[in-house]
Amino acid sequence: LNPSQPLPIYTADIYGCYASCADSLDLMPHIFGTGHDAMRGLREGSHDQAIVISGESGAGKTESAKLLLSFIAEVVKSEGAASSTGVSGVEERVMRTNPVL
């Protein structure tokens, strides 16, 4: 396993599975499943969502946060394209949080 190469578990196919699933519990545990659940909570509950990522130094917290933000940005982008509600600015704002990490 080469740590410099991306894992094949973060492909567009995997993204599509989690973005289109009815319930993330129907699929294997994955960081995209956490993003799916947060987005579902926003859509259905109208409540703010928070995801806590913790771990030891070097455990991958920053990379996990980047993957979550990418997933959420893609979901928002695809939902905005489907509904034409003009949410394109949301994707950019989500991705601008990356330097804060």
Side-chain angles (χ1 to χ4, degrees):
L1 191 62
N2 184 346
S4 299
Q5 292 181 333
L7 293 173
I9 61 172
Y10 304 116
T11 63
D13 291 337
I14 302 294
Y15 160 78
C17 287
Y18 286 89
S20 64
C21 71
D23 188 354
S24 68
L25 295 176
D26 294 337
L27 301 170
M28 297 294 290
H30 196 282
I31 193 80
F32 291 165
T34 304
H36 175 271
D37 293 342
M39 289 301 296
R40 187 177 66 197
L42 283 172
R43 274 190 245 108
E44 295 175 3
S46 300
H47 297 302
D48 293 341
Q49 300 291 305
I51 300 171
V52 177
I53 302 172
S54 65
E56 298 283 329
S57 176
K61 298 178 295 293
T62 302
E63 290 304 312
S64 295
K66 288 178 187 178
L67 288 166
L68 275 168
L69 290 173
S70 295
F71 179 82
I72 291 169
E74 286 297 319
V75 168
V76 167
K77 184 170 125 181
S78 65
E79 288 177 356
S83 66
S84 299
T85 59
V87 293
S88 60
V90 174
E91 178 196 9
E92 184 178 332
R93 288 194 312 246
V94 167
M95 294 314 294
R96 277 190 292 171
T97 63
N98 193 23
V100 174
L101 301 173

